Amino acid sequence: MLLAFDTATPAITAAVHDGTAVRAESTQVDARRHGELLLPAVDTVLSEAGIKLDAVTGIVVGVGPGPYTGLRVGLVTAAAFGDALGIPVYGVCTLDGIAYAAGRMGDLDGPFVVATDARRKEVYWARYTDPRTRTSDPAVDRPADIADEVAGLPAVGAGAVLYPQVFTGARAHAPQNQSAAALAALAAERLASGADFLPPLPLYLRRPDAQVPAGYKAVMPK
């Protein structure tokens, strides 16, 4: 019985998967309320699945890449649940979940790209040979810098839709943010096949926005 959630994109998404099928899912899109909305989403999916938290046997969490503030909400929550319940926490790349969700729509045949909005006029992105197989490490780049690498390839995710002049194969109808249902289904497949998981640690790929200013001066007398 897997409880899955992800806060690496503007979606606050949670789901329960029983190893065979998704039992319940909740997704809300609000880039500024991850901390406020995640636990109510978890309560909702547990209730709809007809189970209590102590029935969960594993936590699946999206590890990014994603913005620092949102991403850490999901990872801290996953660590807390795993520790309190004494159950494993499985990390899955957020881009992998979006790729898997897009593949379930049935219109991707051959290599494609997943790209999410990294803000600062950048995207988080990776290449895939199929919806289950990533062939490049997640990266963060300005779209113009990767134009030659992604030109003509089918592309899914909010980053691809945001920069159609670069992601010329962008699929506007494909999933743009994460779906915990897809993340959980992918994790269930990997567990069944004995595949490895990522550690439940954040893939930030760059320094956080908030930093100590250079030339910081102490205000207290020595």
Side-chain angles (χ1 to χ4, degrees):
M1 190 69 69
L2 299 174
L3 171 63
F5 47 84
D6 194 325
T7 57
T9 72
I12 302 93
T13 180
V16 171
H17 194 290
D18 63 10
T20 301
V22 175
R23 296 265 296 266
E25 178 186 13
S26 171
T27 299
Q28 301 176 72
V29 178
D30 191 327
R32 298 181 180 274
R33 300 177 66 200
H34 293 91
E36 180 181 347
L37 296 176
L38 178 58
L39 289 180
V42 169
D43 286 341
T44 295
V45 296
L46 291 173
S47 177
E48 291 182 358
I51 64 170
K52 295 186 181 297
L53 185 59
D54 60 8
V56 174
T57 59
I59 304 294
V60 180
V61 63
V63 300
Y68 176 81
T69 302
L71 179 55
R72 65 179 178 174
V73 170
L75 287 162
V76 169
T77 303
F81 282 165
D83 184 62
L85 298 171
I87 58 177
V89 179
Y90 305 106
V92 179
C93 174
T94 295
L95 302 178
D96 291 358
I98 297 173
Y100 186 82
R104 293 171 76 177
M105 297 182 65
D107 64 345
L108 288 173
D109 183 17
F112 66 98
V113 175
V114 176
T116 59
D117 183 12
R119 305 174 188 171
R120 304 185 192 174
K121 298 182 180 180
E122 294 178 330
V123 293
Y124 298 118
W125 71 287
R127 288 187 296 269
Y128 292 78
T129 55
D130 61 62
R132 295 173 175 82
T133 309
R134 177 163 42 83
T135 57
S136 68
D137 290 333
V140 58
D141 288 290
R142 289 185 176 274
D145 294 340
I146 58 172
D148 290 342
E149 297 182 63
V150 304
L153 287 174
V156 301
V161 174
L162 191 60
Y163 300 100
Q165 70 278 15
V166 171
F167 296 93
T168 55
R171 305 290 179 86
H173 62 281
Q176 295 189 30
N177 295 310
Q178 182 64 286
S179 159
L183 194 73
L186 176 59
E189 285 190 10
R190 290 180 175 177
L191 283 168
S193 67
D196 293 331
F197 286 85
L198 296 174
L201 300 173
L203 290 176
Y204 291 133
L205 301 188
R206 67 184 182 202
R207 297 177 63 84
D209 292 332
Q211 300 180 33
V212 176
Y216 172 78
K217 295 181 179 179
V219 297
M220 297 296 290
K222 294 182 179 180

